[in-house]
Amino acid sequence: MCGIIGINSNKSVSATIINSLKKLEYRGYDSAGIATLSNGFINEIKSEGRVENLEKNSSVQNMEGNIGIGHVRWATHGLPNSINAHPHSSQNVSVVHNGIIENSTLLKKFLVSKGHKFKSQTDTEVIVHLITENLKTENIVNSIKKTLKALHGSFALGIIFKDQPDLIVGARRGSPLAVGYGPNENYLGSDSYALKSMTNKITYLNDGEFCVIKKDHVEFFNEDGTKINKKVLELSSEDEKYDKGDYKHFMAKEIEEQPITLKNGIKEYIDSANNDINIYNIPWKKNEISSITLIGCGTAYHSCLMAKYWFEELTSLDVNVDIASEFRYRKNRFKKDTLYVFVSQSGETADTYAALDLCKKNGMKTCSVVNVIESSIARDSEFVLPIHCGIEIGVASTKAFLGQILILYILALKLALVRGDLEKKDLSKKLKDLKELPKLVEKTLQTDNKIQNVSSTFNEAKGSMFLGRGFSYPIALEGALKLKELSYVHAEGYPAGEMKHGPLALIEEGMPVVVLAPRDTYYKKTISNMQEVIARGAKVLLITNKSSDEIISENIWETIEVESTNEDLLPFLLTIPLQKLAYYSALKKGLDIDKPRNLAKSVTVE
Ligand code: F6R
């Protein structure tokens, strides 16, 4: 992950770099740093932790220089302290880096043998010394070309040079990088979001490309150093404003925004007048596809798993689901009649992008479900279905998850319809229910007190389990992930029917267990599994939907009832109390809810 910014201007850049770093903090918040060039010297200031720590440093406020680079770090090599913070500099060169240099140990050995002295434990520092070494014999472009050739792994780089008061170099392999154009100044950034307050004119670098940014123009090169022309894109000039409003945390706001997420998605994709779905321009014929593979990471992977149940239920397609980091290195049997769907909030997740790239190289049909429509995954897939949930700031994904599963459900309905697996009249009923969903989510969001009360038990326990069957199983996984990432307590999601094959041994007196048992096809089976854990001393928090039928079990610790709807849509409602459980658990522990430890919002390293 990590975020990069670079500005080449004719006015002082440090304050603008700091502001851009604040926007990039979702990429990493272990440390932050800035380097500028003034009077032929590289000035470098770095601090551990958040950008606000860097900003408080009085030297930053007085930092001179019309050209500079900045960085927010998500640590890969070396502790998250100020020594390992970027930029890393020699006397001649200063570098910010997002990615991982896989051959850094070997390169370091070589450079040490040449007399270079290393200060940090990072892989990045080899880049600094390698450029410095190559500059002894080469001009700037050739030294960069030679350096990039020697690096294995992934990188987005921003580089300034002591002797070059009008030049920033940017380079990309694997990690995203964009160039922005302003009046008498130009920029480099990890994404257009970081550059948006300065410009809406953007060029994205492709893998293997590098660029030389001067105040009045930018030159682009491919890997072998040949000059290339690249398009300037004009993005929407609106700099999306997004603040916490009256909420204590972005996550709380984003949980509450979910009815709007659903309304937006429904408005965009449901054609009420024609009782149809607004996905008309799919670039392949219906009989060209007989199977679908859904790929993502983390929460997005859970969305894929959720979608598997719907695709199997609604369509005649064969359905596979894969974790991107596994898929990209397996010996996949690529088949022409498979549609590959990539799910990602950020659209920049390195593993998901690599899986997409692999599919493209094998001539596969690709579609992405993303939130950030200017992202690499969106740009490089054949067909894009945006989520339309707006910026998501909380590192733990909430509204993007609901947005993703909504779009995947709608895609399943559309494919079912065009393949003749679903009749128009049945679609009509399903669409009617779907249009009611935002209201039901709104009501379910009001279930609050009980969740607040039970949350302490989850904090204080050694661990907890989240169980579900069928449609509820992916939601159980998602509930457990939310609790562990926000509250730092162990939580395990499991298919309820699997407990007796091993995990039941974990259950002991007082262990909190969430059982998702809505009144669906699996209800009775899940209730039996619930009784098995209660019999072994578990404190069960049952989450079901409202019904006039009594619950067929005793000794349940607590019950939360969500609203009722058709079986397909219950997962949306079951998700809400689980998100709140994780939120309140972290709140009670006084943890940093929007930026949990060791994590980042956009995972651009593998
Ligand atoms: C968990 C979470 C992560 C992301 C994962 C993929 O709350 O947010 O697990 O879902 O890192 O990110 P995207 O969706 O950006 O590809």
Side-chain angles (χ1 to χ4, degrees), residues 297-300 343-347 349 395-397 404 481-482 485 603:
C297 300
T299 288
V343 181
S344 175
Q345 187 285 128
S346 63
T349 300
V395 164
S397 193
Q404 285 161 0
L481 175 62
K482 287 287 98 94
E485 72 178 313
V603 186

Side-chain angles (χ1 to χ4, degrees), residues 565-586:
T565 175
N566 81 45
E567 204 163 312
D568 294 354
L569 302 181
L570 284 168
F572 289 89
L573 302 172
L574 296 174
T575 304
I576 305 297
L578 300 185
Q579 293 171 338
K580 289 203 165 199
L581 177 65
Y583 176 76
Y584 286 121
S585 299

Side-chain angles (χ1 to χ4, degrees), residues 283-284 340-342 353 356 360 365-370 375-385:
W284 45 83
Y340 288 85
V341 178
F342 301 87
Y353 183 80
L356 164 68
K360 280 176 61 188
K365 300 171 185 68
T366 59
C367 167
S368 61
V369 174
V370 293
S375 61
S376 307
I377 292 174
R379 289 200 311 274
D380 289 354
S381 39
E382 218 175 322
F383 189 62
V384 186
L385 295 168

Side-chain angles (χ1 to χ4, degrees), residues 404-597:
Q404 285 161 0
I405 62 174
L406 173 74
I407 306 309
L408 290 166
Y409 180 65
I410 290 174
L411 179 64
L413 290 176
K414 181 70 182 190
L415 291 180
L417 187 71
V418 295
R419 297 172 68 78
D421 300 328
L422 185 69
E423 288 188 25
K424 259 260 162 134
K425 67 173 184 350
D426 295 324
L427 175 74
S428 160
K429 166 96 189 59
K430 286 186 186 291
L431 293 185
K432 190 165 167 280
D433 289 344
L434 192 57
K435 282 189 256 172
E436 292 299 310
L437 190 61
K439 247 193 270 158
L440 300 179
V441 168
E442 224 162 82
K443 278 195 181 167
T444 303
L445 280 166
Q446 288 157 18
T447 331
D448 220 75
N449 288 350
K450 229 182 217 175
I451 305 173
Q452 290 202 42
N453 293 342
V454 297
S455 60
S456 325
T457 305
F458 284 84
N459 282 340
E460 288 153 13
K462 248 190 335 203
S464 57
M465 303 211 67
F466 288 65
L467 309 179
R469 275 177 177 257
F471 292 136
S472 304
Y473 163 53
I475 306 302
L477 292 180
E478 176 57 9
L481 175 62
K482 287 287 98 94
L483 187 69
K484 59 189 146 195
E485 72 178 313
L486 286 161
S487 296
Y488 317 154
V489 288
H490 188 74
E492 199 74 62
Y494 244 93
E498 267 290 292
M499 287 298 283
K500 53 191 163 299
H501 301 292
L504 206 50
L506 290 171
I507 303 292
E508 55 186 29
E509 198 57 42
M511 181 187 200
V513 174
V514 175
V515 176
L516 302 176
R519 327 293 174 119
D520 60 6
T521 317
Y522 308 88
Y523 178 57
K524 287 191 180 148
K525 300 284 171 205
T526 315
I527 292 291
S528 301
N529 298 138
M530 179 176 82
Q531 279 157 351
E532 288 157 13
V533 295
I534 292 177
R536 284 156 182 90
K539 265 178 125 169
V540 164
L541 168 63
L542 169 67
I543 304 185
T544 185
N545 58 317
K546 288 181 180 160
S547 161
S548 51
D549 297 341
E550 248 181 78
I551 292 158
I552 48 170
S553 182
E554 288 179 340
N555 301 322
I556 299 166
W557 170 48
E558 280 293 358
T559 302
I560 289 172
E561 290 181 325
V562 301
E563 297 300 309
S564 284
T565 175
N566 81 45
E567 204 163 312
D568 294 354
L569 302 181
L570 284 168
F572 289 89
L573 302 172
L574 296 174
T575 304
I576 305 297
L578 300 185
Q579 293 171 338
K580 289 203 165 199
L581 177 65
Y583 176 76
Y584 286 121
S585 299
L587 190 69
K588 285 199 177 152
K589 283 180 100 172
L591 298 174
D592 193 344
I593 292 181
D594 286 332
K595 293 192 173 78
R597 72 178 178 204

